Structure formats: C-alpha cells, structure tokens
Amino acid sequence: MENNHIRLLPPALELVPRVSEAIQESERALAQFLPWVKYALTEEDCRENMREAIANFEGFRSELRFFIVDKRDERLLGAIGLMIRDKSVPFFELGYWLRGSALGRGHMTPQPEHND
C-alpha cells in the first residue's frame, strides 16, 4: 500500500536494522506510552520481534504490522499495527508509532481532545 509520499511494508527481516535505528532514536519518547520498547532496544531483540510479526502476519493472528517508509529516501518512519480483536466481524484495534524525527511532518495527526 502506498501514496505519493509513503509506502506501507509488511514485516520482513531486512527491515530489522531500520526498525532498530528508529526505536533507538526515539526510545525516550516511545517508552512513555509503549511498554514493549524496553524489550526492543537491540538489533537482536528487533529481529526476534520481527520473526514473531512475520508469523502473525502470515497466520493472520494477534497483530498485523505494517512499517511506514518514506518513498523519497526509503527511511523507516514508524509502524502501524492492527490488533485482531475478533476475526468473525472483523474487528481490529489500531496502534501506531513514529520516530521522533518524523513527527510534525503531517504523517499522522493527533486526535483532537473532547471535553464532553
């Protein structure tokens, strides 16, 4: 999947160095909201996580992860995950993260707060 600026790639072992770099760059900010970050700080941790993501993707279970890549320079910007909640509906929960240097560039816009 892609548009004029980004491409979404399924999990693949060749993405591991770029994923690891993005997580390390943004460790402090990501760790505030994502408990898995502390388990993904080395390239080997990322490799193990990627193997699990590949198995989930191929088996259509748990979480379907896509990596966001800038089409201009192939830089990994972050990831989007579709957590499978109910296959029969289908019903998914959406999660995502962007590396710090990709923030504020229009890739993702925060949800406005509601004061209901």
Side-chain angles (χ1 to χ4, degrees), residues 91-105:
F91 171 58
F92 300 91
E93 180 180 327
L94 178 66
Y96 60 88
W97 62 269
L98 282 176
R99 69 188 308 154
S101 59
L103 296 173
R105 300 179 186 264

Side-chain angles (χ1 to χ4, degrees), residues 68-88:
I68 308 163
V69 175
D70 190 312
K71 288 175 68 172
R72 294 171 298 169
D73 58 9
E74 294 300 311
R75 185 166 175 252
L76 189 123
L77 303 175
I80 297 172
L82 298 172
M83 280 63 77
I84 301 170
R85 298 298 181 222
D86 186 343
K87 289 181 184 180
S88 67

Side-chain angles (χ1 to χ4, degrees), residues 4-42:
N4 292 336
H5 305 286
I6 62 168
R7 177 182 357 265
L8 298 181
L9 300 177
L13 289 175
E14 52 270 7
L15 294 173
V16 167
R18 293 191 277 168
V19 172
S20 181
E21 175 192 34
I23 292 170
Q24 289 173 19
E25 173 193 307
S26 308
E27 173 188 357
R28 183 174 283 154
L30 294 176
Q32 293 179 54
F33 306 102
L34 305 170
W36 56 261
V37 170
K38 62 185 170 188
Y39 306 110
L41 292 174
T42 68

